[in-house]
Amino acid sequence: MTATRIAVRGADPYEVVIGAGVLGELPGLLGGKVRTVAVVHDESLPEIAGPVVKALEESGHAVHALPVPAGEAAKEVGVLAGLWSRFARIGITRSDAVVGVGGGATTDLAGFAAASWLRGVKAVLVPTTLLGMVDAAVGGKTGINIAEGKNLVGAFHPPAGVLCDLTTLMTMPHEDYISGLAEIVKAGFIADPRILDLVEDDPAGAASPAGPHTRELVERAVRVKADVVSADLRESGLREILNYGHTLGHAIEKAEDYRFRHGHAVAIGMVYAAELGRLAGRLSADLVERHRTVLTSVGLPTAYAADAWPVLRDGMRVDKKARGATLRFVVLDGLARPARLEGPDEDLLAAAYREIAQ
């Protein structure tokens, strides 16, 4: 089957290439002028990073493999500084490139390293997880974490291309794959209800990379994100809808010291946002319940600890959508009708949390 190419438009347009066994597309995404390539890869993925390095070497590039810690441990200032030093030693210039290979944390780090080195060099991202393919690698948002919050330090740096080889999904741990489904379900609620139909028709298939609709689910979710970021790269308005479920979700991740899977946290955050919308008179109870049934059907959580509210409320104060002291939520006014709720009353916030407390 041929590769699918989804265009991300804007001042720096690029393509997301999706298919099985599409690694041969990588040199073309880099372009003909790049000579030296730093392959920043998750150290736990040598079986994937190796073929990437080989493909680039066979196309005439000087390649340097730079392993980084797995998962969120990669998104630390010390790891970033280490990459800068290695870029200097191997001589990465403005005509060279960085290729990021791994999950969302790795591509976030690689993208920010590229954005900040020499004020910006070319980056191509090769996400190897479901979450990376449908969310982190598409859209040009890069960043690292600090103790005070997730992704608070970063830059908008569109890649030169994104390569999603669906065969890499077959090697993912099951719970990590399920985590990535949260972002796909999110795309269904905010923009493409057909995604929800596909999941509801075959939850077991949706929960497996070998399912009959895996490619369609990935492509639909990528199209949703591509359409949004094409219209709003720098999150000045429309792009905020992609943060549906993330305000509480990021607070959960922070409270769990980033040991809680991103998609699991976002799933809980989506149900919270739905309850918030219902209590504000903007969303039907039936659609709130659909959140719970769809997410539960694929094994995602929809509730969190009852006594955690004070910590989570404090964690939301540094949410990126906040403006000064005003907290802003993405909510739904109906299926595929995302909107904003600004400065909700504290009692309303607490009441919505009670609906998801366990």
Side-chain angles (χ1 to χ4, degrees):
M1 188 179 295
T2 59
T4 299
R5 299 175 184 275
I6 298 174
V8 182
R9 301 175 303 278
D12 299 297
Y14 58 95
E15 287 185 331
V16 181
V17 180
I18 302 171
V22 292
L23 200 56
E25 301 272 353
L26 181 55
L29 292 176
L30 282 171
K33 296 182 180 180
V34 172
R35 180 182 176 277
T36 302
V37 181
V39 177
V40 177
H41 69 90
D42 181 327
E43 64 185 5
S44 69
L45 298 174
E47 74 284 359
I48 297 174
V52 169
V53 170
K54 183 179 179 181
L56 291 171
E57 288 177 338
E58 289 177 347
S59 61
H61 294 90
V63 187
H64 300 267
L66 307 180
V68 295
E72 292 292 320
K75 292 177 62 172
E76 295 184 357
V77 175
V79 177
L80 175 65
L83 283 180
W84 289 333
S85 294
R86 287 188 276 181
F87 289 174
R89 289 196 295 270
I90 64 180
I92 295 293
T93 70
R94 283 184 174 167
S95 60
D96 297 321
V98 174
V99 171
V101 182
T106 306
T107 57
D108 277 359
L109 169 71
F112 188 40
S116 51
W117 182 248
L118 302 179
R119 298 185 177 91
V121 299
K122 181 178 289 189
V124 171
L125 304 179
V126 185
T128 60
T129 66
L130 187 60
L131 181 62
M133 290 181 186
V134 302
D135 184 39
V138 180
K141 285 172 72 172
T142 70
I144 59 170
N145 305 329
I146 59 174
E148 288 74 17
K150 185 172 181 176
N151 296 326
L152 292 180
V153 180
F156 291 101
H157 187 64
V162 177
L163 187 63
C164 301
D165 189 337
L166 299 176
T167 60
T168 64
L169 299 179
M170 304 300 293
T171 65
M172 286 188 65
H174 179 68
E175 281 301 308
D176 290 339
Y177 188 83
I178 296 302
S179 176
L181 280 177
E183 294 286 355
I184 291 179
V185 170
K186 178 202 74 179
F189 277 114
I190 66 171
D192 183 359
R194 177 60 182 156
I195 289 173
L196 305 180
D197 295 337
L198 290 170
V199 174
E200 289 168 327
D201 289 346
D202 185 7
S208 167
H213 302 303
T214 297
R215 181 166 178 161
E216 182 176 359
L217 288 169
V218 170
E219 289 178 359
R220 284 183 175 274
V222 169
R223 283 195 177 95
V224 168
K225 185 155 191 182
D227 287 347
V228 171
V229 301
S230 293
D232 178 18
L233 171 64
R234 298 184 178 274
E235 207 169 60
S236 58
L238 177 64
R239 186 167 179 160
E240 283 189 343
I241 70 173
L242 297 173
N243 286 320
Y244 186 57
H246 286 58
T247 299
L248 184 72
H250 281 164
I252 291 173
E253 289 181 276
K254 181 182 176 185
E256 296 276 356
D257 197 24
Y258 304 109
R259 291 188 294 266
F260 201 87
R261 288 180 176 85
H262 174 73
H264 289 56
V266 167
I268 298 167
M270 281 192 283
V271 180
Y272 176 73
E275 289 287 5
L276 194 59
R278 179 183 67 84
L279 292 174
R282 300 173 64 163
L283 194 64
S284 71
D286 287 347
L287 196 49
V288 175
E289 189 56 30
R290 193 178 187 189
H291 281 69
R292 287 192 170 90
T293 54
V294 171
L295 293 166
T296 301
S297 74
V298 294
L300 284 162
T302 58
Y304 197 66
D307 61 357
W309 175 243
V311 172
L312 298 181
R313 178 64 188 91
D314 186 61
M316 288 192 293
R317 296 183 195 280
V318 292
D319 181 73
K320 296 190 298 298
K321 294 181 299 303
R323 298 293 184 269
T326 302
L327 195 59
R328 304 161 81 238
F329 284 85
V330 179
V331 296
L332 297 179
D333 284 341
L335 186 58
R337 293 177 56 201
R340 292 168 188 77
L341 178 63
E342 298 197 20
D345 185 83
E346 290 294 331
D347 290 341
L348 184 67
L349 293 172
Y353 189 76
R354 287 193 291 272
E355 296 296 325
I356 69 162
Q358 64 181 10

